[in-house]
Amino acid sequence: MSGRGRSPNWQAWLDAWDRQQEGFNPQRERRFDAMFDLLEASVGRRFAALDLGAGPGSLSVRLLRRFPRATSVAVDYDPVTRRIGREALGTVGGRLTWWDAKLGTPGWTEALPRRRFDAAVSTTALHWLRGSGVRQLYRDLAGLVRSGGIFLNGDRLAPQRPSSTWERLDRNVGAVRRRGRSRADLWKGWSEWWRRAAREPALRAEYRERERRAAQHPTGPSPSLETHRAALRRAGFRDVEVVWQDLDDRILYARRP
Ligand SMILES: C[S@@+](CC[C@H](N)C(=O)[O-])C[C@H]1O[C@@H](n2cnc3c(N)ncnc32)[C@H](O)[C@@H]1O
């Protein structure tokens, strides 16, 4: 997405990110809209949001577009996606702050540019954490989200023991929506995006740093829906509910009392 010696077209990088993410989740825009309706109904139209695992800012930019008086702090520890987001979107008139931190690790909140948020939001990111990371994250959020503020997580949140019917339906509906493409094809789109990023001269330093950090990535299965629910309750959140659902794609809501 850049010619030799030319500065990259950062918006094209962001658009390509959105396309490959939509491949995995054709309901992605509907899920964003549902989250914004929930936000507006809970905290109004003027609020400070914390975007957890923001990547290149797909959630934050849509949120700031819909709510012109809102602000967002976009946290991610991947230097490549953060750089693309920063270059493509900038600060949206001072309303968007990019932040490098590793969620779920001790001390990640210490230097955040603000100490109180009306809402913590996330899409397609927290499945990267493991059980202890999720518990640490929610304990920290309990100190960051103001009383009456909310948490919203849109992600694939599978139950611990799905029935065989559920698993079959989830698999078959996924196949219908891919319209002939296999799941392997979707992963090819993801890998191809990252292969291009690895070849982009303007991203060389960020890519090298990404590789160094990737070595510390946790392995093992993603936490179940039940793990998320229990960790939120234990951290002091209340009204923990699935408020939107498309098979295993869910929005989990919680409120700070
Ligand atoms: C699939 S992307 C989703 C990005 C964006 N939220 C979206 O919906 O397009 C997941 C993001 O979560 C980030 N992430 C995963 N674990 C993280 C952690 N422990 N701390 C910070 N970011 C993390 C990854 O670096 C990646 O950018």
Side-chain angles (χ1 to χ4, degrees), residues 119-152:
V121 294
S122 183
T123 49
T124 324
L126 302 186
H127 62 271
W128 284 93
L129 302 184
R130 294 299 164 258
S132 61
V134 160
R135 284 186 285 276
Q136 171 84 48
L137 174 68
Y138 294 158
R139 275 197 302 273
D140 291 332
L141 290 185
L144 289 173
V145 176
R146 70 160 166 86
S147 170
I150 65 163
F151 166 78
L152 284 176

Side-chain angles (χ1 to χ4, degrees), residues 17 21 28 32 53-55 58 76-78 81 101-103 123-125 128-129:
W17 171 269
Q21 286 293 302
R28 188 170 180 250
F32 283 134
S58 305
D76 204 289
Y77 79 137
D78 187 323
T81 51
K102 187 167 184 182
L103 307 167
T123 49
T124 324
W128 284 93
L129 302 184

Side-chain angles (χ1 to χ4, degrees), residues 13 16 27 62 81 119 121 147 174 190 201 207 212:
W13 274 103
Q27 310 295 315
R62 285 164 177 74
T81 51
V121 294
S147 170
W190 164 265
Y207 197 84
R212 195 186 66 76

Side-chain angles (χ1 to χ4, degrees), residues 58-125:
S58 305
L59 169 59
S60 278
V61 69
R62 285 164 177 74
L63 178 151
L64 296 175
R65 229 181 266 142
R66 168 145 164 191
F67 302 110
R69 292 188 300 165
T71 61
S72 180
V73 175
V75 179
D76 204 289
Y77 79 137
D78 187 323
V80 172
T81 51
R82 230 177 330 102
R83 168 93 191 276
I84 290 171
R86 216 177 49 233
E87 298 282 1
L89 304 171
T91 67
V92 189
R95 294 191 296 134
L96 177 57
T97 307
W98 296 94
W99 204 258
D100 180 10
K102 187 167 184 182
L103 307 167
T105 56
W108 74 273
T109 64
E110 272 161 24
L112 278 176
R114 60 184 294 153
R115 304 301 310 162
R116 271 284 175 273
F117 294 89
D118 302 293
V121 294
S122 183
T123 49
T124 324

Side-chain angles (χ1 to χ4, degrees), residues 1 10-21 55-56 78 80-82 84-85 186-200 203 207 210:
M1 274 160 277
W10 297 109
Q11 185 60 49
W13 274 103
L14 178 53
D15 293 344
W17 171 269
D18 282 334
R19 274 197 304 279
Q20 54 92 357
Q21 286 293 302
D78 187 323
V80 172
T81 51
R82 230 177 330 102
I84 290 171
L186 300 182
W187 284 107
K188 265 186 233 153
W190 164 265
S191 308
E192 180 48 32
W193 192 92
W194 281 106
R195 250 196 306 278
R196 284 208 308 271
R199 289 197 305 262
E200 170 59 63
L203 288 170
Y207 197 84
R210 169 179 212 272

Side-chain angles (χ1 to χ4, degrees), residues 169-235:
L169 287 173
D170 190 55
R171 205 169 40 244
N172 292 351
V173 170
V176 167
R177 289 184 179 154
R178 285 196 298 276
R179 301 193 190 291
R181 290 199 302 157
S182 66
R183 270 197 73 74
D185 289 336
L186 300 182
W187 284 107
K188 265 186 233 153
W190 164 265
S191 308
E192 180 48 32
W193 192 92
W194 281 106
R195 250 196 306 278
R196 284 208 308 271
R199 289 197 305 262
E200 170 59 63
L203 288 170
R204 195 167 294 141
E206 285 81 4
Y207 197 84
R208 208 174 301 128
E209 176 59 10
R210 169 179 212 272
E211 291 208 296
R212 195 186 66 76
R213 294 184 181 195
Q216 304 153 9
H217 246 307
T219 52
S222 299
S224 67
L225 175 61
E226 290 86 349
T227 300
H228 282 276
R229 278 184 190 276
L232 282 163
R233 288 202 191 99
R234 207 171 307 137

